[in-house]
Amino acid sequence: MRPRLPAWTATLTWKSACFIVVMCCSLAAALGALVHVEVTRQTVATAREKALAKLNDASRAYEAGEALPPDSALDPVGLPPRLRALALSGHRGTVVDDYRDRPTMWAAAPADGRALATAIDYGQSARTISGLDNAIIGSSVLAIGGTLLVGAFAVTRVTRRLHQTATVARRITQGDLDARVGDPRTKDPSRHQDEVATVAGALDTMAGSLQAKLESERRFTADVAHELRTPLTGLHAASELLPEGRPTELVRERVRTMRQLTEDLLEISRLDSGSEVVETDLHQLGRLAGRVVRASGTQTQVVVVRDAHVETDRRRLERVLGNLVANAHKHGRAPVVLTVDGPVVTVRDHGDGFPDYLRAHGPQRFRSGGKGHGLGLTIAVGQAAAIGARLEFRAAEGGGAEAVLTLPGPVPAPPAEA
């Protein structure tokens, strides 16, 4: 199994830093190698010329029968074997080797079947090359460090702007349509925009268009619901005057359905606008759930595993639980069980379960797996969000649908009255 890398290794800053370091190291290594090779070649060539010039002087002195120059001799001790073999074969040559723990440049030539050799000190040249190598390494480290700091500063400025843009995008996703990036580069047309500014400007434009469109749809929904309210009220009053009979019952049922749909549309419009005020108080969750079930008039079993006191808006919470219970009876099958376990309330039925789209994306308006308009669960999700709760839709073990409402953490129970 491939080891999992830490999360910070996936950041753009880390990747940019690695890229800068790799490129700087590669460039420094290439330039350092070129400089090292060239300087070494020139240093060795200079030392070789000196050694050969000294060897020429020794050869002339040997031929004239004069004393040989210092550090020159026939078959001297310490002459490298390969250079000796080269001289005995009738050729001249040079080689660098250690002699008495010091780097030495040897030069040798044939002399009456023997090797005439001379040596010069190569220590200074070796130290020059070593010092150059250390200077290359030191300057490369400093250059890499400086480039990394400058690059990290530049990349961090870009990533900070990207993080800001991503944060605004998440706020818009969560419903804050007033969120904007507000990059100053997008406000001045005379300034050239980079890619990040272009993305920020596009996001702000999209958020503005989305806000205008949603606000238009919300106003349209609210206006339609308000306009329908008055004629439906009159229609309801007129239906009460009709003579009793099956046609009258059908008319009254349709009128009730239309009135409920209108009220649901108005409630959704208020939730979309965020204009309602949440009024919280301390409530015992088990007792509140039992009251909701009794008010629904349904055969719903209430199981209190662990009761809790929660600080919430009672009206909104009752609306959420009432909608969940009604949905379970309308679209599921008995038995329907409402379970209270601390701040978690679960409503389960034993029907076919929630549709796949609903479990994956949540309820959608006017889309229902069966009869209905799909507004009940939409309102439940909106009211749950208003009181800071989380509503999830799952497939229950053993079949059926399971809606799980998780309220904010419970608070200590109030002291009992004396």
Side-chain angles (χ1 to χ4, degrees):
M1 186 176 181
R2 191 173 68 176
R4 187 178 181 86
L5 296 175
W8 53 268
T9 59
T11 61
L12 182 60
T13 303
W14 164 253
K15 293 179 179 179
S16 300
C18 290
F19 176 77
I20 292 173
V21 169
V22 170
M23 293 302 297
C24 287
C25 288
S26 301
L27 183 61
L31 292 177
L34 290 175
V35 172
H36 171 81
V37 169
E38 183 61 25
V39 172
T40 301
R41 185 185 67 80
Q42 294 179 2
T43 303
V44 171
T46 302
R48 180 180 292 114
E49 290 176 358
K50 291 181 180 179
L52 291 175
K54 189 175 181 180
L55 179 63
N56 291 333
D57 294 340
S59 297
R60 285 194 294 269
Y62 175 77
E63 291 174 357
E66 300 174 356
L68 296 178
D71 298 324
S72 300
L74 291 171
D75 295 329
V77 178
L79 181 64
R82 60 181 182 279
L83 184 59
R84 184 189 303 274
L86 180 66
L88 294 178
S89 65
H91 296 85
R92 295 160 60 95
T94 60
V95 69
V96 176
D97 199 3
D98 287 338
Y99 177 61
R100 296 178 181 176
D101 297 329
R102 294 174 62 86
T104 302
M105 171 68 77
W106 289 92
D112 299 331
R114 302 173 67 185
L116 175 63
T118 187
I120 63 172
D121 184 21
Y122 190 72
Q124 182 61 38
S125 300
R127 287 190 294 272
T128 301
I129 295 174
S130 178
L132 176 65
D133 291 341
N134 292 333
I136 291 174
I137 294 174
S139 60
S140 298
V141 171
L142 290 177
I144 291 172
T147 305
L148 185 59
L149 290 176
V150 174
F153 174 74
V155 172
T156 301
R157 292 190 62 187
V158 175
T159 55
R160 188 184 301 117
R161 294 166 59 199
L162 289 175
H163 283 305
Q164 180 185 1
T165 304
T167 300
V168 171
R170 282 191 290 268
R171 288 173 56 190
I172 294 173
T173 302
Q174 294 169 0
D176 184 7
L177 297 181
D178 292 325
R180 297 292 186 274
V181 179
D183 194 314
R185 295 168 180 79
T186 63
K187 299 178 181 179
D188 187 0
S190 62
R191 296 182 62 179
H192 295 291
Q193 298 184 12
D194 58 8
E195 289 78 1
V196 180
T198 302
V199 172
L203 179 63
D204 288 347
T205 302
M206 181 200 71
S209 300
L210 180 62
Q211 184 178 28
K213 181 179 180 181
L214 292 179
E215 183 64 23
S216 175
E217 292 180 355
R218 188 193 64 78
R219 286 197 302 267
F220 174 77
T221 302
D223 292 344
V224 169
H226 277 293
E227 292 299 326
L228 288 175
R229 217 174 188 183
T230 301
L232 283 175
T233 301
L235 187 60
H236 175 72
S239 67
E240 296 297 328
L241 302 177
L242 295 175
E244 298 295 333
R246 180 58 180 167
T248 300
E249 292 178 2
L250 292 176
V251 171
R252 290 173 180 172
E253 180 184 355
R254 295 298 183 270
V255 171
R256 283 194 298 270
T257 301
M258 287 293 295
R259 292 189 68 184
Q260 183 61 47
L261 176 60
T262 302
E263 295 300 325
D264 288 347
L265 288 174
L266 284 173
E267 186 168 359
I268 288 176
S269 177
R270 289 192 294 269
L271 288 172
D272 288 342
S273 65
S275 58
E276 290 190 320
V277 179
V278 178
E279 300 177 355
T280 61
D281 200 355
L282 194 63
H283 300 280
Q284 186 176 351
L285 192 53
R287 183 183 302 172
L288 187 146
R291 185 164 57 245
V292 169
V293 170
R294 288 192 296 272
S296 69
T298 60
Q299 296 296 322
T300 302
Q301 180 183 358
V302 179
V303 178
V304 180
V305 177
R306 179 168 55 95
D307 207 350
H309 286 79
V310 294
E311 188 173 358
T312 187
D313 188 317
R314 180 183 61 81
R315 181 185 67 83
R316 294 176 185 274
L317 180 55
E318 288 180 346
R319 177 67 159 152
V320 173
L321 296 180
N323 282 15
L324 294 179
V325 170
N327 183 81
H329 283 280
K330 179 181 290 185
H331 300 286
R333 287 191 295 271
V336 176
V337 183
L338 187 152
T339 304
V340 176
D341 188 0
V344 180
V345 182
T346 303
V347 178
R348 181 194 174 176
D349 65 66
H350 291 74
D352 297 330
F354 292 117
D356 293 338
Y357 79 87
L358 193 147
R359 293 200 306 271
H361 307 291
Q364 300 178 18
R365 303 172 189 180
F366 298 103
R367 182 177 181 183
S368 175
K371 56 186 178 180
H373 303 286
L375 298 181
L377 293 183
T378 302
I379 293 174
V381 170
Q383 294 289 17
I387 60 177
R390 185 176 73 255
L391 183 55
E392 301 173 279
F393 303 96
R394 307 173 181 170
E397 295 184 6
E402 186 176 68
V404 181
L405 178 68
T406 305
L407 294 162
V411 298
E417 296 182 359

